[in-house]
């Protein structure tokens, strides 16, 4: 599962759809289950125990740009699948 906070640009929405296989849930705050992937449009989320990707450089989050978004997101998904020992994040 991918959690999204804020409005993402269309290019990032397209990349998330292209990678497929994961449910995307829009949330209003950072209260997500541990070991999740959060995409924060404005960089305001610092969810501990999760991978936080952001469009704005912020503290302990990983900044993504158009050129790197696909590889960063794919790597984050693969990492959490290995941690959960599943093929998709919804299986755990």
């Amino acid at each position: 599962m991918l959690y999204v906070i804020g409005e993402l640009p269309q290019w990032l929405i397209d990349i998330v759809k292209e990678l497929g296989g994961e449910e995307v849930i829009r949330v209003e705050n950072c209260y997500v289950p541990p070991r999740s992937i959060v995409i924060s449009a404005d960089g305001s989320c610092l969810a501990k125990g999760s991978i936080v990707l952001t469009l704005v450089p912020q503290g302990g989050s990983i900044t993504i740009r158009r050129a790197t978004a696909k590889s960063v997101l794919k790597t984050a998904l693969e990492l959490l699948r290995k941690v959960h020992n599943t093929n998709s994040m919804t299986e755990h």
Side-chain angles (χ1 to χ4, degrees):
M1 241 179 267
L2 296 172
Y3 295 93
V4 174
I5 300 172
E7 293 298 318
L8 301 182
Q10 189 59 46
W11 60 265
L12 187 51
I13 293 169
D14 294 341
I15 289 172
V16 170
K17 287 180 182 176
E18 182 182 332
L19 291 174
E22 298 300 330
E23 184 178 352
V24 177
I25 298 176
R26 292 199 178 272
V27 293
E28 298 296 320
N29 55 48
C30 288
Y31 300 110
V32 299
R35 297 189 200 122
S36 299
I37 296 176
V38 180
I39 302 174
S40 176
D42 62 3
S44 63
C45 179
L46 296 174
K48 292 190 179 212
S50 295
I51 296 175
V52 180
L53 307 175
T54 182
L55 298 169
V56 179
Q58 182 74 18
S61 59
I62 300 168
T63 305
I64 54 176
R65 292 178 177 75
R66 185 179 288 208
T68 62
K70 185 175 181 179
S71 62
V72 169
L73 189 54
K74 185 177 179 180
T75 301
L77 286 168
E78 288 173 358
L79 174 66
L80 283 184
R81 286 176 184 150
K82 285 181 183 177
V83 167
H84 290 289
N85 197 26
T86 61
N87 291 325
S88 76
M89 293 302 294
T90 55
E91 286 183 25
H92 70 280

